[in-house]
Amino acid sequence: MTHVVLQKLNKVYPGTTQAAVQDMHLDIPSGQLVALLGPSGCGKTTTLKMIAGLIHPSSGDITFDGASVLPIPAERRGAVMVFQNYLLFPYMSVGQNVGFGLKMRGVPQKTINQKVIEMLELVKLPNIANRRPKQLSGGQQQRVALARALITAPKVLLLDEPLSNLDAHLRDEMRELILSIQRQLGVTMIFVTHDQEEAVLLANQIALIFEGVLQQYAPPDVFYRQPISERAARFFGGVNFIAGTRRGDRVTTALGDFVFNPAGKDSAPEGAVTLTIRPEQIVLQPADTRNSIAGRIRARIYVGTYTRYKIVLNDGSEIEATRPGDVGSLEEGDAVRLAFPEDRIWVVAQR
Amino acid sequence: MSRVKRILFYAAVVGVVLALVLPIITFFINAFAFRWFYPQFVPNEWSLQAWERIGLIPREGQRTLEGWWRLLSSGSDVINALGTSLALGGLVTVLSVIIGLPAARALGLYRFRFKRLVEFMILAPTIVPVIAFVLGLNINFIRWGFSGTLLGVAVVHLVPVMPYVVLTLSGVFANYNPEFEEQARTLGAGPLRTFWYITLPSIFPGLVVAALFAFLVSWSQYLLTFLIGAGRVITIPMLLFAQASGGNNAVTAAMSLIFIAPAVLTLLLSARYLSGEASAVGGFGRI
């Protein structure tokens, strides 16, 4: 149960001018599961290693429960990292691996053995303490790595791409395991990933990072409804962007005027904006014509659980809409009307 | 394998074995022969006289526990030289590994400016003849009081030894993942214990190979020991050279066997580190 705060954190690697991490300010309440999300090379792993104490920041501070941890070396900081490729020590047995942290703390061997059994049960891998890491599958190795990290009762658990090496079926299993451990132990968890799906699946809060700069820090659903920028929207799979001019709750575009209803938060100023709406929020063939435009279906892509429509609009631009798979009867070449519900439209400032 | 290929393969094996083993067999025969003259295929009479003369085996009638003890504590030339060679080899091995580990880690793990140049400088002693630098070095060593001391000779042995140690170890580090160390750190291991529990076991096979190279290269040095040792550091090669340039064949053969013994012994003892998976880590990996 540790409250982690990053204050104006900067990291500039020697010999570079561009900061790997720039003025990162992040407040992570205790017991949260936070994702640092961004494309590779955006500084998220650097941030994670700074929290662990493996990289020293150029400036700024990191506090655990209000106290700066920068003077504390990695081995005594209480922030344990689980690496992406698990890094089980190959010449030690599974039991020795899991017990490593306690051995370093000088705990008697008898107590270690007991705790190892407990931890392996926690990650649902009992009776494998005598095996070698090589004899385990990837998913099992990851769970052993998790047990090895948790045995020291860390203040903060740091995970590097915890789900990305697993196939879809193991992903669900691992996700549930991590969430149940988090509920059981209440440990603050921070993980990095480049995969927005992984972040959404696991995190309470997502910190989106581009080029070392924090873009948006919010619960997962906010990134779908109210992304901070066009780039943030694109990162979360947004595809529909229409340039326009905003005056109050009205956006004027080449396709006509749209009325929108900024529910609560509002990120765009008056003037040049980009209007965006998620494909699944567009209503095809609406009952009334409010906020609607005409188009023609260029392509119909049946995906099974839903159907994607690529629709060409009057000005030649293209927009994508989806409908649940069993709603049919629209074919390629059909003329179609599409409505943008006013509480589903979101506008961001143009770059 | 086709028939022809198989025949060629075994022919090559027999050829290599003959070329390498036959000369050593003649050493064995010489060292244990009483007299070996043409046209005898093998000697008619065998004896240990050569070994008695270099003072490694007591004379007939004195081969009791007491006799052995008196002989080994007598401080004969060969026994003293054996001690010097072993001490020198040990010292050089320890020094070269202490110096070579950080250098190899830097070359294997990191990219930095002038890396190619640094690599070349480290390899240079394998190309530059010893005689080209040792005379100048000798003048300085005399000035510093290094000449004629075991430490001085050990330091100068490092010149031909370092390329082998650094090359072998940087191969190890080229296949090494330093994140294992970071993992250990966050689990609570300080720098020293991280080295002991994580780094050392990971590089151990390569370290053994590097140490063997260091010892054997030092063991076989002649010219460097001769010049820097100033006649006061007498190793096995010094005695062997003196003996070979005008001595008894049997004695020369016996000394030669002593000279090659550590090479054969260490290779046999460390075969598992030099073969298979370990050699991929410990051998000449990419640098």
Side-chain angles (χ1 to χ4, degrees):
Chain A
M1 289 290 220
T2 303
H3 179 193
V4 178
V5 180
L6 313 184
Q7 283 166 2
K8 295 226 141 216
L9 206 60
N10 278 282
K11 178 67 194 181
V12 185
Y13 285 106
T16 61
T17 47
Q18 172 78 29
V21 174
Q22 205 178 323
D23 283 334
M24 181 83 65
H25 205 97
L26 209 56
D27 189 309
I28 299 163
S30 80
Q32 287 282 318
L33 217 172
V34 171
L36 307 179
L37 173 67
S40 61
C42 77
K44 55 191 193 298
T45 302
T46 301
T47 307
L48 201 71
K49 287 192 173 179
M50 283 196 281
I51 300 172
L54 297 170
I55 294 177
H56 205 78
S58 306
S59 68
D61 202 1
I62 300 168
T63 63
F64 289 2
D65 287 334
S68 174
V69 293
L70 289 187
I72 305 173
E75 62 267 26
R76 280 187 278 127
R77 194 172 280 194
V80 178
M81 199 154 159
V82 178
F83 286 80
Q84 185 182 3
N85 32 5
Y86 325 134
L87 300 184
L88 298 183
F89 307 132
Y91 37 83
M92 296 183 195
S93 71
V94 168
Q96 285 170 318
N97 262 287
V98 175
F100 185 81
L102 292 184
K103 188 174 169 189
M104 291 302 111
R105 281 163 181 74
V107 174
Q109 193 58 46
K110 229 178 154 181
T111 320
I112 295 179
N113 293 345
Q114 255 170 342
K115 282 293 270 183
V116 166
I117 292 170
E118 255 173 63
M119 281 298 142
L120 286 176
E121 271 167 14
L122 182 72
V123 296
K124 305 193 171 74
L125 282 176
N127 309 322
I128 62 155
N130 291 328
R131 292 217 217 144
R132 293 267 142 189
K134 254 190 200 167
Q135 297 171 283
L136 306 181
S137 71
Q140 288 173 322
Q141 288 187 27
Q142 185 172 25
R143 286 198 250 168
V144 171
L146 203 58
R148 179 174 68 176
L150 289 168
I151 200 167
T152 60
K155 291 177 178 160
V156 184
L157 187 66
L158 306 168
L159 305 155
D160 188 4
E161 313 240 348
L163 304 183
S164 55
N165 278 0
L166 305 173
D167 58 40
H169 150 76
L170 278 172
R171 266 186 163 210
D172 275 359
E173 218 172 88
M174 196 63 199
R175 173 179 176 269
E176 272 160 37
L177 181 69
I178 291 175
L179 290 177
S180 87
I181 286 172
Q182 216 245 349
R183 267 195 301 274
Q184 239 173 301
L185 306 178
V187 59
T188 306
M189 292 191 190
I190 304 169
F191 70 99
V192 302
T193 178
H194 64 269
D195 176 359
Q196 47 93 12
E197 192 188 323
E198 186 173 339
V200 170
L201 272 173
L202 213 49
N204 309 124
Q205 295 272 326
I206 295 173
L208 182 66
I209 303 168
F210 291 147
E211 282 95 40
V213 179
L214 180 64
Q215 307 288 316
Q216 190 171 9
Y217 181 45
D221 58 314
V222 172
F223 289 89
Y224 291 91
R225 287 187 288 107
Q226 302 169 332
I228 193 86
S229 63
E230 182 178 333
R231 193 168 168 207
R234 284 190 189 278
F235 202 81
F236 279 80
V239 287
N240 300 326
F241 300 95
I242 302 163
T245 310
R246 175 184 178 188
R247 261 174 226 95
D249 60 359
R250 183 170 290 272
V251 181
T252 307
T253 74
L255 299 159
D257 281 14
F258 295 95
V259 175
F260 86 108
N261 172 21
K265 269 179 90 176
D266 189 355
S267 70
E270 301 275 308
V273 294
T274 299
L275 178 153
T276 177
I277 183 164
R278 292 201 64 90
E280 63 272 21
Q281 305 295 359
I282 293 175
V283 180
L284 294 177
Q285 307 295 44
D288 60 55
T289 57
R290 267 164 42 89
N291 260 2
S292 73
I293 48 175
R296 185 170 296 279
I297 294 174
R298 183 181 66 75
R300 174 180 179 273
I301 304 156
Y302 181 67
V303 189
T305 50
Y306 63 95
T307 307
R308 287 165 61 196
Y309 298 96
K310 293 191 185 261
I311 299 161
V312 180
L313 304 177
N314 290 338
D315 66 342
S317 63
E318 198 170 280
I319 221 165
E320 189 174 320
T322 61
R323 293 215 293 190
D326 53 350
V327 182
S329 85
L330 284 171
E331 294 302 330
E332 287 177 8
D334 284 1
V336 68
R337 271 205 93 69
L338 5 70
F340 298 173
E342 54 187 72
D343 58 343
R344 299 300 182 190
I345 291 174
W346 182 247
V347 296
V348 294
Q350 259 180 34
R351 282 173 299 162
Chain B
M1 261 195 289
S2 76
R3 211 185 139 91
V4 178
K5 259 189 179 170
R6 197 175 322 170
I7 289 169
L8 282 175
F9 175 76
Y10 285 114
V13 169
V14 169
V16 167
V17 167
L18 283 181
L20 292 179
V21 176
L22 212 55
I24 295 177
I25 289 175
T26 65
F27 276 130
F28 267 100
I29 295 173
N30 256 319
F32 293 100
F34 181 63
R35 283 195 194 95
W36 192 19
F37 296 122
Y38 184 81
Q40 298 167 355
F41 183 64
V42 289
N44 292 335
E45 270 184 277
W46 301 90
S47 91
L48 291 171
Q49 49 147 355
W51 301 89
E52 287 164 9
R53 278 179 63 179
I54 63 172
L56 271 185
I57 289 178
R59 292 187 186 285
E60 205 146 11
Q62 294 174 7
R63 288 178 196 148
T64 60
L65 208 58
E66 198 202 339
W68 276 99
W69 174 246
R70 195 161 348 111
L71 183 85
L72 292 177
S73 57
S74 67
S76 74
D77 283 354
V78 170
I79 286 174
N80 281 345
L82 259 179
T84 306
S85 274
L86 284 173
L88 194 59
L91 189 61
V92 169
T93 303
V94 171
L95 286 177
S96 68
V97 167
I98 289 173
I99 299 168
L101 257 184
R105 188 187 173 98
L107 286 176
L109 286 184
Y110 309 121
R111 267 183 288 169
F112 50 87
R113 221 190 290 193
F114 304 126
K115 180 172 172 177
R116 284 261 142 231
L117 184 70
V118 172
E119 280 175 7
F120 177 76
M121 297 290 279
I122 287 172
L123 292 181
T126 58
I127 308 164
V128 180
V130 164
I131 200 75
F133 65 83
V134 74
L135 292 175
L137 211 57
N138 200 15
I139 295 168
N140 285 312
F141 269 45
I142 289 169
R143 201 176 293 156
W144 299 331
F146 255 14
S147 190
T149 65
L150 193 71
L151 185 66
V153 176
V155 167
V156 85
H157 275 196
L158 287 177
V159 175
V161 166
M162 288 318 295
Y164 293 96
V165 172
V166 174
L167 215 64
T168 310
L169 287 176
S170 61
V172 178
F173 280 108
N175 301 313
Y176 179 78
N177 181 359
E179 281 191 333
F180 275 110
E181 293 172 7
E182 297 189 328
Q183 177 70 82
R185 290 292 301 279
T186 75
L187 287 169
L192 271 180
R193 284 200 283 187
T194 299
F195 180 78
W196 180 254
Y197 286 107
I198 307 303
T199 315
L200 203 58
S202 315
I203 63 171
F204 191 71
L207 200 62
V208 170
V209 175
L212 283 179
F213 274 133
F215 185 84
L216 292 179
V217 171
S218 164
W219 180 272
S220 57
Q221 286 305 311
Y222 171 71
L223 194 58
L224 285 176
T225 317
F226 176 72
L227 288 169
I228 302 292
R232 270 169 283 171
V233 179
I234 308 293
T235 57
I236 289 289
M238 316 269 298
L239 292 187
L240 178 61
F241 269 64
Q243 188 57 239
S245 58
N248 173 308
N249 270 354
V251 173
T252 308
M255 301 226 7
S256 299
L257 288 183
I258 295 169
F259 183 61
I260 62 167
V264 175
L265 268 179
T266 47
L267 286 181
L268 287 179
L269 289 175
S270 64
R272 79 190 180 98
Y273 292 114
L274 287 169
S275 65
E277 207 178 313
S279 70
V281 182
F284 290 89
R286 76 182 166 84
I287 172 169

